[in-house]
Amino acid sequence: MTAASYSLGIDIGGTFTDIVVYDSVGKTSVSHKELTTPSAPYEGVIRGVKTLFGREGMAFADVHRVIHATTLFTNALIERKGALTGLITTAGFRDTLEMAREHKYELFDLHIELPRPIVPRSLRLEVDERLGPDGSVELALDPAQAVAQAGRLAAAGVTSIAIVFLHAYANPVHEEMARAAIQAAYPELFVSISSEVSRQIREYERTSTTVANAYVKPLADGYLDRLTSEIGALGIAAPLFMMLSNGGLTHVMEAKRVPIQLLESGPAAGALAGAFFGARSGIGDVLAFDMGGTTAKLAVIDGGVPVIAHHFEASREKRLTEGSGLPLSISTIELIEIGAGGGSIAHLDALGLLKVGPESASSTPGPACYGRGGTQPTVTDANLVLGFLDPASFAGGTMTIDVARAEDAMRPLAEASGLSVADFAWGIYSIVNENMAAAARVHVAERGHHAGRFALLLTGGGGPLHGCEVAARLGIERVLCPPGAGVASALGLLMAPARIDRMLSVGWTLERVDWDALEQAYRGIEQDACAVIDATLPGQSGGAARQRAADLRFAGQGFEVITDLPAGPYGAATYQAIRDAFLRSYLQTFGQVPPAGDIEIVNIRVAVSVTPQESELNVKMASISGAQAARGTRRMYLGGRGQYAEVPVYEREALGVGQAIAGPAIVQEASSTLILPEGARASVDASLSLLVQLAQPAPAGKSEPQSAAGAPAASHERQHEHAD
């Protein structure tokens, strides 16, 4: 490889840390999966990087950039393991977090569990200050009072403070004064202000977002400093970039300033990889399905572009129920996370019915087959018992897994269910697939789509293992499995643009707007975004793409429609173009448009991005002829027959363009294994992705094939589905 040509991608998941190195000159990449070290995530990163570079004979000095994504901050919110945080707010607004929107996400649940505020009431303090909705000062802030309240919080053990003053989105002066005074008096405290974290209306969402940022800020600061130091100690002098939830990159200082932007960084990278590999295979409409060791994620890629949302819910009380989590006003690639992964634990409920997840064995102690102390049966254990995984080559041969341990973990529950261990393992496999398919079905339908018109693109260590079965349950006929699927999220890091989203609440009426003021407001937030782009990629903001948008509504309505707008500069002649864009978005969202009414501009938004030079990625392929791809057979459980059978095994790296495979079959590579079901056919396309055509369902009324025992072949699967 040519000197200084490497890009290093690091994606920390709940079970595995994926390491990918891409050579921008040779257009090849190599990868490694390392078990995540939850207590000190950087340890797994450094161990994995050393292993990969040592194995490939690469030099650390040849790395010219490092891109990182992590679930650390998401997990801190979910597990409530962030810093002890305090809130200083305007007098009379101490209980904003508790009152929320006075909304029950399940109206008739008498025992409903509402999201617990991150900051307890005893650590929410007030100061006397007041701004008007236009930003005018109605009651001036006494900085000494803010310092006194910060002192009380510090005495209670608080290490991070959120400052949220009424109408600070219109004028940040009081928040900035309070922060300056507190940092001068207590330099050891971390301080987050809402006018920097979430400069928009709606007190509850703004407060919730700022508090969440304060909650993870000390963790982000310490972790990123340590990781930067450890990477530098290896001899890597390249800058460290962080993946944002919106699918863009930023520099470390920006990430440390507002770490809440990193919350969905790993899943966002997976969605980018889904869009990239779909486009390479000429498929614009894909559902990017990524299944790892702890969770599964699904993103809708419509027309080759992931959907961006500007709100997110973290730490939901009920994973799939909107309104049951903490609202965060951040830009993120829209996706759904499902509590299903290789580490998801199977158990019997009080009625003796088989359930899978959402509890996970993660990497510590891990599935029973890892031999690291886990004793409960997991999805990975089931996949091993079913013959889907090769014990000798699991995770690229970096660790061995034990079939006997997996069977021993399942046997007590299998006996309690009156099933054989194999049937019980198939039940786990079927239930977790239905759980994922059901969540995906709802997510896609809620966005106005039918799953059947998409192809399902499989990534993650578990995506290819489960994807064909999930696709069949969704009514999807085409499945796409890219090369290096198991580390695709880490590859997604390497193709991400530098991107910054900025927004500002304005509250103007379109029909009477001051066009010069509107243009200046847009230029102001564009300049702010460009400054961050230049700090990330010096001197490149001049060629950046800029997309303007606005949150628009008819006067009197309670919520807005986010609408993409034409480029500036804006003037009176722009009115009709903005109105037409809003009406199109409104019609698409609601199906009809009111006959008349003024339009309000509630928030303005910009997205500034620079496309990376590494726009074409290829996964390293061995120079082996396609005829040598077959690697013998393996005993695999066929659910349709209810019995084991010998099926062919193929080495993924040896499959050449145009080569076809008929199911049932196993296609394995270092980072993942594709299970090709009976009746399916796969072929290698020009981009080296495997395009799978699933078998069509039998016509209604046609008799089912019989198993060896004479029972309908699907009876085993149905038994477990009903148990769920």
Side-chain angles (χ1 to χ4, degrees):
M1 289 185 176
T2 304
S5 63
Y6 302 160
S7 294
L8 172 61
I10 303 166
D11 180 23
I12 300 180
T15 303
F16 283 100
T17 294
D18 294 341
I19 315 291
V20 170
V21 174
Y22 176 70
D23 177 8
S24 58
V25 175
K27 304 296 184 184
T28 59
S29 73
V30 289
S31 63
H32 172 71
K33 294 181 86 72
E34 183 75 28
L35 278 173
T36 295
T37 50
S39 60
Y42 67 88
E43 291 182 358
V45 170
I46 299 304
R47 186 184 305 126
V49 171
K50 286 181 176 178
T51 299
L52 179 59
F53 275 68
R55 188 186 79 203
E56 299 294 332
M58 300 182 298
F60 293 125
D62 291 341
V63 176
H64 74 275
R65 65 174 189 150
V66 182
I67 307 97
H68 180 36
T70 176
T71 60
L72 182 64
F73 312 124
T74 304
N75 293 340
L77 270 180
I78 293 172
E79 299 170 10
R80 298 300 173 97
K81 292 182 178 178
L84 186 61
T85 302
L87 171 65
I88 297 177
T89 190
T90 304
F93 289 84
R94 180 185 187 184
D95 295 317
T96 297
L97 288 177
E98 210 96 50
M99 294 168 64
R101 289 204 162 273
E102 299 182 335
H103 168 72
K104 291 178 66 176
Y105 57 86
E106 288 189 349
L107 187 61
F108 300 107
D109 187 350
L110 299 181
H111 305 285
I112 192 169
E113 292 288 338
L114 296 174
R116 291 179 294 111
I118 290 174
V119 181
R121 195 171 194 273
S122 61
L123 299 180
R124 303 197 297 260
L125 305 181
E126 301 176 344
V127 295
D128 296 321
E129 68 81 40
R130 196 63 175 252
L131 298 174
D134 60 352
S136 59
V137 177
E138 297 182 0
L139 177 61
L141 169 73
D142 179 4
Q145 187 184 17
V147 171
Q149 297 292 52
R152 290 178 58 191
L153 293 173
V158 165
T159 58
S160 188
I161 293 176
I163 300 176
V164 184
F165 291 155
L166 191 66
H167 301 310
Y169 57 84
N171 186 352
V173 60
H174 281 180
E175 288 190 347
E176 291 173 348
M177 288 171 57
R179 177 175 61 181
I182 290 171
Q183 288 184 329
Y186 299 97
E188 72 280 4
L189 289 177
F190 292 88
V191 181
S192 299
I193 61 176
S194 74
S195 50
E196 285 188 355
V197 176
S198 177
R199 196 171 178 181
Q200 60 184 295
I201 63 169
R202 296 200 170 92
E203 291 305 302
Y204 173 50
E205 288 80 0
R206 185 161 60 95
T207 305
S208 177
T209 306
T210 309
V211 163
N213 189 78
Y215 190 64
V216 301
K217 193 168 187 176
L219 179 66
D221 191 85
Y223 169 73
L224 293 177
D225 280 347
R226 182 62 183 267
L227 182 63
T228 302
S229 173
E230 294 286 343
I231 289 176
L234 291 176
I236 297 176
L240 174 63
F241 301 110
M242 297 301 298
M243 183 76 173
L244 300 176
S245 299
N246 64 7
L249 305 179
T250 192
H251 59 90
V252 170
M253 294 307 297
E254 172 69 8
K256 289 167 65 175
R257 186 181 71 87
V258 191
I260 200 67
Q261 300 176 92
L262 308 176
L263 215 60
E264 291 293 287
S265 57
L272 288 181
F276 174 80
F277 285 115
R280 285 211 316 177
S281 294
I283 304 174
D285 297 335
V286 300
L287 301 180
F289 172 63
D290 182 287
M291 183 180 179
T294 306
T295 59
K297 284 80 66 176
L298 184 129
V300 176
I301 312 296
D302 194 7
V305 180
V307 178
I308 300 292
H310 298 285
H311 56 83
F312 178 73
E313 278 191 19
S315 188
R316 282 179 170 174
E317 295 295 325
K318 294 192 175 181
R319 184 179 294 270
L320 301 180
T321 304
E322 187 174 352
S324 67
L326 301 172
L328 303 176
S329 300
I330 61 174
S331 296
T332 177
I333 288 181
E334 190 174 56
L335 48 81
I336 186 172
E337 290 199 28
I338 309 157
S344 295
I345 296 171
H347 61 281
L348 300 180
D349 67 9
L351 298 177
L353 303 180
L354 176 58
K355 303 289 184 180
V356 182
E359 294 80 17
S360 175
S362 301
S363 61
T364 305
C369 62
Y370 284 11
R372 297 165 56 90
T375 58
Q376 296 176 288
T378 66
V379 172
T380 295
D381 294 312
N383 286 332
L384 181 58
V385 169
L386 295 171
F388 297 163
L389 297 173
D390 179 7
S393 63
F394 184 74
T398 59
M399 61 184 294
T400 57
I401 50 180
D402 191 332
V403 178
R405 290 180 185 271
E407 292 176 339
D408 289 344
M410 288 186 194
R411 189 166 287 109
L413 297 184
E415 291 175 352
S417 303
L419 299 171
S420 68
V421 170
D423 282 350
F424 189 80
W426 181 255
I428 293 174
Y429 182 76
S430 298
I431 286 174
V432 77
N433 289 339
E434 180 56 33
N435 288 346
M436 293 185 291
R441 193 178 296 116
V442 172
H443 180 74
V444 173
E446 286 179 343
R447 276 132 198 91
H449 303 296
H450 181 267
R453 79 173 180 87
F454 294 87
L456 191 69
L457 190 137
L458 313 179
T459 58
L465 282 167
H466 295 260
C468 289
E469 175 73 15
V470 171
R473 292 171 181 269
L474 288 171
I476 293 174
E477 297 178 1
R478 287 192 303 171
V479 174
L480 190 66
C481 185
V487 293
S489 287
L491 280 169
L493 297 173
L494 305 183
M495 62 186 72
R499 171 175 171 148
I500 295 296
D501 288 72
R502 287 290 185 263
M503 61 83 58
L504 175 67
S505 288
V506 293
W508 295 333
T509 302
L510 182 63
E511 283 72 18
R512 293 178 289 280
V513 70
D514 182 330
W515 291 100
D516 289 338
L518 180 63
E519 178 62 24
Q520 289 304 312
Y522 268 109
R523 289 186 180 181
I525 58 176
E526 282 176 350
Q527 289 170 2
D528 183 21
C530 285
V532 180
I533 292 289
D534 276 331
T536 306
L537 300 174
Q540 294 196 32
S541 68
R546 308 182 186 196
Q547 175 62 59
R548 291 183 175 184
D551 299 5
L552 305 175
R553 67 186 182 190
F554 286 107
Q557 291 183 327
F559 291 90
E560 304 79 47
V561 176
I562 298 177
T563 305
D564 288 335
L565 301 183
Y570 291 161
T574 317
Y575 167 78
Q576 195 60 46
I578 294 178
R579 180 178 177 84
D580 289 346
F582 169 62
L583 294 182
R584 285 193 300 270
S585 296
Y586 196 97
L587 181 64
Q588 182 179 2
T589 303
F590 298 108
Q592 59 182 355
V593 177
D598 288 347
I599 297 171
E600 291 180 340
I601 309 172
V602 178
N603 303 315
I604 61 172
R605 301 180 182 272
V606 297
V608 179
S609 61
V610 175
T611 302
Q613 295 178 350
E614 290 86 350
S615 58
E616 286 295 328
L617 299 178
N618 294 292
V619 176
K620 182 178 180 182
M621 288 290 170
S623 56
I624 306 173
S625 68
Q628 295 176 295
R631 289 292 184 267
T633 63
R634 188 156 77 233
R635 186 170 175 265
M636 187 179 85
Y637 189 88
L638 301 180
R641 302 183 191 176
Q643 62 185 31
Y644 285 96
E646 291 292 325
V647 303
V649 178
Y650 296 89
E651 193 68 35
R652 176 62 186 268
E653 290 185 342
L655 294 175
V657 175
Q659 188 161 353
I661 300 172
I666 299 171
V667 182
Q668 61 186 28
E669 59 181 330
S671 62
S672 64
T673 299
L674 174 67
I675 300 301
L676 199 64
E678 288 187 276
R681 296 190 63 84
S683 60
V684 182
D685 69 12
S687 66
L688 297 177
S689 289
L690 272 169
L691 183 59
V692 180
Q693 184 70 40
L694 297 179
Q696 299 293 315
K702 185 176 180 179
S703 61
E704 296 176 298
Q706 301 293 304
S707 71
S715 62
H716 297 275
E717 181 175 342
R718 285 199 301 267
Q719 178 179 358
H720 296 295
E721 288 178 340
H722 291 168
D724 193 35

